[in-house]
Amino acid sequence: MITVTKTFLPPIEEYNKQVQRAWDNQWLTNRGELVLELEEKLKQYLKVSNIIITTNGTIPLQIALKLLGNGGEIITTPFSYVATTAAIVWENCTPVFVDIHPEYLTLDENKIEAAITDKTTAILATHVFGNPCQVEAIEAIAKKHNLKVIYDAAHCFGVTYKDKSIFDYGDVSTCSFHATKLFHTGEGGAMFTKDAALQHQLFYSHNFGHKTVLDFHGLGINGKISELQAAMGLAVFPYIETIVEERKKIVNFYNALLDFSRLDKIKIRENTEWNYSYYPVLLKNEATLLDIQARLLSENIIPRRYFNPSLNNLPYCKNVKMPISENISERVLCLPLYVGLKTEDLDKICKIINAK
Ligand SMILES: *Cc1c(COP(=O)(O)O)cnc(C)c1O
């Protein structure tokens, strides 16, 4: 069976070696030696000034929205994973959808201003498939209207834009280290900010608000990552360059073999060093997609319809029309992309998709 992705697993001896450290320390969570070491390694690799690693990639969205959303209207993208919208609703804010750009698939910066009201507090945009939003335009709009900017950068491990980590943009950026993501800790995530005061708030928020054992800075929740999750991260980390290189080869293979007279790929934003995190293709229409999907399934190849449905159609959101996102959601298919995917399988996938 060939699936859309496959978790990268390091040799188990290397994982065991890291887990053994937790045993030796008799220390399983609360920012032990493994978590601190992983944060240091990631900070250097990603070239960011700060990182707080968390137990998943959703809790940092919630913490950021709790601190910056203020129960208001959040301008957001309908084309993302459900966590983006769910976090807004969960934090008692109101998602206000703005349609996406038809080629970049990120929030259309030209449509943001029309959606701003006196209740708008923040913009939560996703760098979907690791493709950066138009961050300069979004920053200018936010400044003009005194709004906060949160980026769901769950797909962006290692992405740079204009030679800076994409995590450096926005008031807060978040990432996911879920097992299906490029770099993973089984379950895990991270949040980033360059603002020292906000960093302090994010930090205590993810640890129950603690100042000392008996004293509190403010409201908090448990967003901490455990030593056992960090052990996986430390075991995967030495392979990160190999992972990116292997994925790049597969992306180049698809680029060379697929018939682009019959489908489109997404446009990666200029000045981006991309991470090859997904291989979405845009088919002519949903009928073509269903046909291709069925033919792949009959060969035990399982692509995924990332992202469908368009999030404006979630049952707990006010129904609004988002024509571009809905149209893209009907015809976008993410093709298998993972370390270890064989050339003969790639050949087969391309033949099935190219066949009439
Ligand atoms: C994976 C993902 C999340 C959630 O991350 P978890 O680590 O699974 O909680 C949020 N947003 C997007 C866009 C994602 O793909």
Side-chain angles (χ1 to χ4, degrees):
M1 189 169 72
I2 300 167
T3 46
V4 69
T5 189
K6 197 165 157 187
T7 299
F8 177 86
L9 287 172
I12 195 162
E13 309 76 53
E14 295 175 24
Y15 175 62
N16 286 342
K17 219 171 80 192
Q18 297 296 343
V19 170
Q20 184 67 48
R21 295 171 63 196
W23 252 252
D24 294 344
N25 294 335
Q26 299 194 34
W27 190 283
L28 296 191
T29 187
N30 285 357
R31 301 182 57 76
E33 169 182 300
L34 279 76
V35 168
L36 298 183
E37 184 177 317
L38 184 60
E39 280 187 346
E40 213 39 59
K41 288 200 153 127
L42 293 181
K43 221 163 87 174
Q44 281 174 26
Y45 179 80
L46 298 168
K47 299 194 178 74
V48 290
S49 49
N50 280 309
I51 180 172
I52 301 167
I53 57 181
T54 53
T55 196
N56 59 50
T58 303
I59 198 85
L61 288 173
Q62 290 178 235
I63 292 174
L65 286 161
K66 177 74 82 190
L67 292 171
L68 304 177
N70 207 18
E73 292 180 357
I74 312 294
I75 290 183
T76 192
T77 174
F79 191 73
S80 182
Y81 182 57
V82 67
T84 315
T85 305
I88 295 172
V89 177
W90 198 266
E91 291 305 328
N92 291 314
C93 297
T94 307
V96 173
F97 292 103
V98 164
D99 215 342
I100 57 170
H101 186 281
E103 290 173 293
Y104 296 113
L105 310 189
T106 50
L107 191 64
D108 187 342
E109 61 278 2
N110 297 314
K111 294 182 176 158
I112 293 175
E113 278 196 291
I116 295 174
T117 73
D118 55 5
K119 296 199 190 81
T120 309
T121 52
I123 298 167
L124 169 51
T126 301
H127 304 303
V128 71
F129 304 132
N131 195 20
C133 298
Q134 206 338 318
V135 289
E136 288 97 352
I138 291 176
E139 187 179 335
I141 293 165
K143 226 177 220 153
K144 181 171 158 197
H145 296 273
N146 197 21
L147 305 176
K148 300 294 182 185
V149 179
I150 303 165
Y151 285 116
D152 183 339
H155 303 165
C156 293
F157 192 89
V159 171
T160 66
Y161 175 69
K162 297 199 170 161
D163 295 323
K164 281 205 312 191
S165 169
I166 195 67
F167 301 135
D168 264 356
Y169 294 87
D171 292 287
V172 176
S173 280
T174 68
C175 191
S176 168
F177 303 158
H178 184 261
T180 56
K181 304 296 206 282
L182 194 118
F183 169 79
H184 78 93
T185 55
E187 290 273 3
M191 44 192 181
F192 306 85
T193 182
K194 290 197 297 184
D195 178 321
L198 193 50
Q199 163 79 9
H200 171 65
Q201 285 185 301
L202 292 171
F203 187 85
Y204 74 68
S205 297
H206 103 299
N207 184 28
F208 300 107
H210 273 295
K211 182 175 183 182
T212 62
V213 180
L214 301 178
D215 202 9
F216 295 87
H217 288 296
L219 180 66
I221 195 165
N222 184 2
K224 287 175 280 117
I225 187 169
S226 76
E227 292 289 272
L228 302 175
Q229 290 164 286
M232 179 59 84
L234 288 170
V236 172
F237 182 79
Y239 294 93
I240 190 66
E241 268 152 20
T242 317
I243 292 171
V244 175
E245 262 162 44
E246 289 299 306
R247 299 177 77 101
K248 181 177 178 177
K249 281 187 208 154
I250 295 168
V251 165
N252 287 340
F253 201 97
Y254 279 133
N255 284 345
L257 259 80
L258 286 173
D259 176 1
F260 291 100
S261 67
R262 316 161 92 246
L263 50 84
D264 287 315
K265 53 185 166 176
I266 69 165
K267 197 162 154 188
I268 300 295
R269 197 167 301 279
E270 305 69 18
N271 301 309
T272 300
E273 200 170 314
W274 190 45
N275 63 357
Y276 312 95
S277 47
Y278 295 85
Y279 199 90
V281 291
L282 302 173
L283 301 164
K284 206 168 76 196
N285 52 41
E286 192 167 28
T288 309
L289 178 144
L290 292 173
D291 175 49
I292 287 175
Q293 188 183 31
R295 283 189 284 125
L296 289 168
L297 279 175
S298 73
E299 298 282 338
N300 253 328
I301 299 163
I302 307 173
R304 280 290 290 270
R305 298 184 70 178
Y306 290 148
F307 289 99
N308 182 289
S310 184
L311 297 171
N312 52 300
N313 290 324
L314 285 169
Y316 48 82
C317 289
K318 203 167 86 191
N319 209 285
V320 284
K321 285 265 156 271
M322 288 286 127
I324 296 170
S325 176
E326 287 169 41
N327 174 272
I328 296 288
S329 291
E330 281 173 6
R331 57 195 185 88
V332 64
L333 198 61
C334 279
L335 303 184
L337 173 54
Y338 53 83
V339 177
L341 188 57
K342 295 194 198 78
T343 308
E344 66 237 47
D345 291 330
L346 280 165
D347 258 328
K348 193 154 115 187
I349 294 165
C350 292
K351 279 204 184 94
I352 292 171
I353 294 174
N354 290 341
K356 183 83 192 99

